[in-house]
């Protein structure tokens, strides 16, 4: 008989209350029922617990769903009879049980059926029992371990789950590992989503974003990751932390106490139940999972398909998910997370891209729904003894595992003003290396925010002036002409109190010496170009006598160096009748203070009967 004439296999799924967790239901159970080819497999679902959330979706897809009260929350003595009637009406070839109660019920049903249906146990949880398991759950596990050999096939979601169940008493062989998968058409590198989320959160292209998606529960160990990021923020100002999940919001008091205030409070973004996880992971540079179990392993698969490296604890199946394309750390250790995240940050751009591409390829090879459907369909064929290949019935779509470069219109992002500050958003040409594009963009088109000071400019070396031609006299006349053309005379500047830069200041020894000795030992006093003599007379008749130099003046001049001999001549011709009792000569100058030893301007004050001491003090003597 040809394969086309074979009837479709009939598979009945028994689902108990604890058989499907939220993650496993969305990643494995629903794709298995809704995407399985109808011409190959005909399915029916029997729920042993009330409130089966996926029942409405399955009914819309054309899959019959029966609700039977056979659980601790809702129990009916006639429920098992209803289950047997539904089984005889459907006559399944394979009874697939999800959960402890469903697995025990499947063995009981097969013993009462006229035909011999095959029984497949699907174990969704990694650990055989939860930590808070009661007496009934522990007794169920003992019965399962005792009758597990009667099941035709046991399917685990990971090798870690197989090891733990073998320790609990399950058989060594006869099992199959079918991991759950994530839709690769939804989770993929998306630079538009990366830009959008970063703009929304006010994160620039230079920010190194660490993200984790997990509900705020004890088993996910949020304090460890928050402490690790808090230490990293102290040394790296560009680190930001994104947290999403049920209860991860600002209204959560214990979580806000963990985050605290200050720098860590401004770098942490609590997003709550973020629905678009693809855009969330695309906005991250590294994805983390600090869970004390493997409950968050599917979020790592999502991040790896988006091309994001992962740092997570190696608990349970998380180590299998990461493989050699991530960093597995010790659970409950902030120091271990610091080392793991730092290792990713310090990787060169090419090695970081290689790790991201390897992680994406690993996720596309083992954790996609199509691979899971192929394995289950092949399991059904092998169990009933049908010679067929599941790969022919469920072909795998070819998906490029490489990470494409960002399009040209997304390489540069203009400055966006957020509520707090203005940030420059620059997307990356290499994955998780946002700063590498700055060297490839023209500075005239984009204004980047500078986080490093510009290098100091090189000192400008002035060229020496060209040699001046001519003799000494010509050079002197040219300098004098420049001074006269500037409009500022040297004596005018000195009259305003501006000291000559070339003057020598008195040393402390000279200040402590006797003035008489200083007059003898000090160097020659510069002769002023012009001597101003102010005459204070009381009678006009005595003007001529006051204008004549007296003996002390001649004596002081004789005691001075030889430069005094070149003193310009002074015209003492004064008309007596034009001089008032107090008059000054025509070449008067503003009254000056007592001249210092280095001052080149000398003023002589002549009185009618000038005392000898005052004249000596005026010329620098005693």
């Amino acid at each position: 008989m040809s394969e086309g004439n074979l009837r479709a296999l009939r598979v009945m799924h028994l689902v108990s209350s604890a058989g499907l967790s939220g993650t496993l239901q969305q990643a494995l159970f629903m794709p298995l029922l809704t995407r399985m080819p109808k011409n190959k497999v005909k399915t029916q679902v029997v729920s042993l617990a009330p409130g089966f959330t996926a029942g409405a979706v399955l009914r819309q897809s054309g899959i019959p769903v029966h609700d039977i009260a056979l659980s601790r929350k809702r129990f009916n003595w006639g429920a098992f009879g209803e289950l047997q009637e539904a089984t005889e009406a459907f006559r399944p070839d394979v009874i697939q049980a999800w959960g402890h109660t469903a697995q025990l019920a499947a063995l009981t049903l097969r013993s009462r059926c006229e035909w011999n249906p095959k029984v497949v146990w699907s174990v969704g949880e990694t650990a055989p029992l939860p930590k808070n398991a009661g007496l009934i759950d522990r007794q169920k596990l003992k019965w399962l371990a005792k009758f597990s050999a009667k099941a035709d096939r046991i399917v685990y979601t990971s090798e870690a789950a197989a090891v733990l169940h073998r320790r609990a008493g399950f058989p060594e062989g006869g099992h199959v590992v079918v991991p759950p998968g994530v839709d690769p058409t939804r989770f993929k590198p998306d630079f538009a989503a990366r830009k959008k989320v970063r703009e929304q959160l006010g994160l620039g292209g230079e920010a190194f974003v660490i993200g984790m998606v997990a509900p705020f529960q004890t088993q996910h160990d949020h304090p460890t990751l928050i402490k690790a990021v808090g230490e990293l923020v102290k040394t790296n100002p560009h680190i930001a932390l994104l947290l999403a999940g049920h209860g991860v919001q600002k209204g959560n008091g214990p979580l806000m106490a963990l985050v605290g205030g200050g720098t860590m409070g401004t770098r942490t973004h609590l997003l709550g139940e973020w629905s678009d996880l693809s855009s969330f992971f695309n906005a991250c540079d590294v994805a983390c999972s600090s869970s004390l179990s493997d409950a968050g392993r599917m979020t790592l698969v999502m991040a790896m398909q988006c091309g994001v490296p992962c740092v997570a604890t190696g608990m349970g199946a998380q180590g299998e998910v990461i493989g050699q394309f991530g960093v597995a750390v010790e659970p409950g250790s902030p120091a271990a997370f610091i080392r793991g995240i730092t290792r990713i940050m310090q990787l060169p751009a090419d090695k970081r891209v290689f790790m991201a591409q390897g992680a994406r390829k690993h996720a596309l090879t083992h954790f996609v729904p199509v691979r899971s459907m192929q394995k289950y369909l092949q399991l059904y064929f092998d169990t009933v003894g049908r010679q067929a290949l599941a790969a022919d019935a469920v072909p795998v779509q070819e998906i490029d595992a490489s990470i494409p470069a960002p399009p040209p219109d997304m390489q540069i992002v203009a400055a966006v003003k957020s509520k707090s500050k203005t940030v420059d958003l620059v997307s990356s040409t290499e994955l998780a290396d946002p700063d590498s594009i700055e060297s490839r963009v023209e500075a005239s088109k984009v204004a980047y925010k500078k986080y490093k000071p510009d290098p100091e400019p090189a000192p400008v070396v002035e060229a020496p002036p060209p040699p001046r031609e001519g003799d000494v006299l010509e050079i002197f006349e040219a300098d004098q002409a420049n001074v006269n053309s500037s409009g500022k005379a040297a004596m005018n500047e000195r009259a305003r109190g501006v000291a000559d830069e070339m003057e020598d200041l008195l040393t402390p020894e000279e200040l402590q010496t006797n003035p008489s000795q200083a007059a003898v030992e000090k160097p020659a006093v510069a002769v002023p170009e012009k001597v101003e003599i102010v005459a204070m007379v009381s009678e006009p008749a005595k003007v001529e006598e006051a204008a004549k130099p007296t003996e002390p003046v001649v004596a002081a001049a004789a005691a001075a160096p030889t430069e005094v001999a070149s003193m310009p001549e002074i015209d003492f011709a004064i008309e007596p009748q034009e001089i008032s009792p107090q008059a000054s000569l025509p070449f008067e100058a503003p009254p000056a203070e007592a001249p210092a030893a280095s001052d080149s301007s000398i003023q002589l004050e002549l009185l009618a009967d000038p005392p000898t001491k005052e004249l000596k003090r005026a010329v620098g003597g005693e």
Side-chain angles (χ1 to χ4, degrees):
M1 184 180 294
S2 63
E3 185 179 351
N5 296 328
L6 295 176
R7 69 176 181 87
L9 291 177
R10 296 184 178 184
V11 180
M12 186 175 71
H13 296 270
L14 293 181
V15 182
S16 61
S17 58
L20 293 175
S21 61
T23 304
L24 184 63
Q25 177 177 314
Q26 296 296 330
L28 182 60
F29 181 76
M30 295 299 292
L32 179 63
L33 270 66
T34 57
R35 300 182 184 181
M36 190 70 75
K38 305 297 182 181
N39 59 339
K40 299 297 180 181
V41 178
K42 184 178 181 180
T43 60
Q44 185 174 347
V45 178
V46 177
S47 174
L48 304 183
F52 185 52
T53 56
V57 179
L58 294 176
R59 291 187 180 97
Q60 291 178 358
S61 301
I63 300 175
V65 179
H66 301 276
D67 292 329
I68 297 177
L70 193 60
S71 63
R72 284 179 291 180
K73 295 182 179 179
R74 182 181 175 185
F75 181 79
N76 187 2
W77 291 103
F80 192 81
E82 296 178 6
L83 176 60
Q84 187 174 357
E85 292 178 1
T87 305
E88 292 178 354
F90 185 62
R91 297 185 67 87
D93 299 312
V94 177
I95 300 177
Q96 185 168 355
W98 302 79
H100 293 175
T101 304
Q103 291 163 5
L104 293 174
L107 293 178
T108 306
L109 278 176
R110 185 176 66 173
S111 64
R112 297 189 179 186
C113 290
E114 297 178 356
W115 68 101
N116 188 21
K118 303 299 181 179
V119 175
V120 176
W121 287 0
S122 293
V123 180
E125 298 296 333
T126 302
L129 283 177
K131 292 183 178 180
N132 57 349
L135 178 61
I136 298 178
D137 293 332
R138 291 196 297 268
Q139 189 62 35
K140 286 181 183 179
L141 182 61
K142 291 181 181 179
W143 290 341
L144 289 174
K146 182 178 180 180
F147 299 108
S148 58
K150 295 184 178 182
D152 294 287
R153 198 63 59 91
I154 300 177
V155 182
Y156 301 102
T157 56
S158 64
E159 288 291 346
V163 172
L164 293 177
H165 280 77
R166 284 198 298 267
R167 292 178 182 177
F170 281 67
E172 292 287 340
H175 71 275
V176 179
V177 176
V178 181
V182 175
D183 188 3
T185 60
R186 177 185 174 189
F187 293 91
K188 58 185 178 180
D190 190 348
F191 297 98
R194 177 185 177 91
K195 178 187 70 173
K196 180 180 179 181
V197 174
R198 291 204 170 205
E199 287 180 358
Q200 182 177 353
L201 300 178
L203 300 174
E206 75 285 349
F208 187 86
V209 181
I210 304 170
M212 185 176 76
V213 177
F216 187 71
Q217 298 175 358
T218 305
Q219 63 176 344
H220 294 286
D221 196 15
H222 285 78
T224 298
L225 180 63
I226 293 175
K227 291 178 183 178
V229 176
E231 294 296 327
L232 291 172
V233 166
K234 296 179 181 179
T235 58
N236 193 321
H238 303 309
I239 288 181
L241 177 62
L242 301 186
L243 297 177
H246 180 70
V248 183
Q249 52 194 2
K250 293 185 178 180
N252 190 337
L255 180 59
M256 293 301 297
L258 290 174
V259 174
T263 305
M264 188 60 187
T266 59
R267 303 286 177 80
T268 304
H269 301 267
L270 306 179
L271 306 181
E273 297 189 23
W274 191 277
S275 58
D276 190 2
L277 295 182
S278 176
S279 62
F280 176 89
F281 286 115
N282 273 284
C284 298
D285 296 302
V286 61
C288 295
S289 175
S290 58
S291 178
L292 302 178
S293 63
D294 59 355
R297 65 184 185 273
M298 299 313 299
T299 61
L300 299 179
V301 176
M302 299 173 187
M304 293 168 69
Q305 289 190 2
C306 293
V308 179
C310 297
V311 178
T313 58
M315 299 296 294
Q318 286 193 164
E320 301 176 22
V321 171
I322 295 176
Q324 58 181 353
F325 305 102
V327 181
V329 298
E330 178 184 358
S333 175
F337 271 93
I338 292 174
R339 291 192 298 268
I341 297 174
T342 304
R343 178 182 174 185
I344 299 295
M345 295 177 61
Q346 293 178 351
L347 284 177
D350 54 346
K351 293 186 178 180
R352 197 182 305 176
V353 172
F354 176 78
M355 176 181 286
Q357 289 180 348
R360 174 171 167 78
K361 184 177 181 181
H362 175 68
L364 293 176
T365 305
H366 300 92
F367 303 98
V368 290
V370 177
R371 299 289 185 182
S372 302
M373 286 189 294
Q374 281 185 347
K375 291 183 179 181
Y376 263 112
L377 185 58
Q378 191 65 47
L379 173 64
Y380 298 153
F381 289 159
D382 296 342
T383 303
V384 300
R386 182 174 295 186
Q387 300 296 328
L389 294 178
D392 298 336
V394 185
V396 178
Q397 182 183 1
E398 295 294 334
I399 299 177
D400 187 10
S402 62
I403 300 175
D409 58 341
M410 295 182 186
Q411 293 182 2
I412 306 300
V413 182
V416 178
K417 291 186 178 180
S418 62
K419 296 181 180 180
S420 57
K421 59 181 181 179
T422 301
V423 288
D424 295 335
L425 302 181
V426 183
S427 64
S428 59
T429 53
E430 303 292 350
L431 181 69
D433 189 18
D435 297 331
S436 62
I437 195 174
E438 295 184 0
S439 60
R440 308 183 186 183
V441 182
E442 296 181 5
S444 60
K445 296 182 180 180
V446 180
Y448 291 97
K449 185 177 180 179
K450 296 182 179 180
Y451 291 95
K452 295 183 179 179
D454 295 335
E456 297 182 359
V460 180
V461 180
E462 297 182 358
R468 306 178 66 176
E469 300 179 356
D471 54 7
V472 178
L473 182 59
E474 293 178 354
I475 294 174
F476 175 76
E477 291 177 352
D479 294 341
Q480 290 296 111
N482 293 335
V483 172
N484 295 335
S485 62
S486 63
K488 295 182 180 180
M491 294 303 296
N492 294 338
E493 295 294 336
R494 294 182 63 84
R496 296 189 183 99
V498 179
D500 191 1
E501 296 181 357
M502 301 302 296
E503 291 178 350
D504 296 331
L505 299 178
L506 294 178
T507 61
E509 292 78 5
E510 294 176 345
L511 293 175
Q512 294 178 1
T513 54
N514 191 2
S516 60
Q517 296 178 0
V520 178
E521 297 176 359
K522 69 180 180 179
V525 179
V527 179
E529 298 178 359
K530 184 177 181 180
V531 180
E532 300 175 355
I533 303 175
V534 180
M536 304 294 294
V537 297
S538 57
E539 295 180 9
K542 298 181 180 180
V543 172
E544 294 182 359
E545 295 180 1
K548 293 181 180 181
T550 58
E551 294 180 359
V553 175
V554 178
T562 56
E563 287 81 354
V564 179
S566 62
M567 181 181 296
E569 296 181 359
I570 303 174
D571 188 7
F572 293 98
I574 303 174
E575 296 181 3
Q577 63 275 10
E578 296 180 358
I579 298 177
S580 60
Q582 289 185 349
S584 60
L585 297 181
F587 37 86
E588 66 180 3
E593 299 178 357
S598 60
D599 196 354
S600 59
S601 177
I602 301 176
Q603 295 182 356
L604 300 179
E605 184 179 359
L606 301 181
L607 303 177
D609 294 327
T612 304
K613 292 183 179 180
E614 294 183 1
L615 288 178
K616 288 184 178 182
R617 188 180 299 110
V619 296
E622 273 188 34

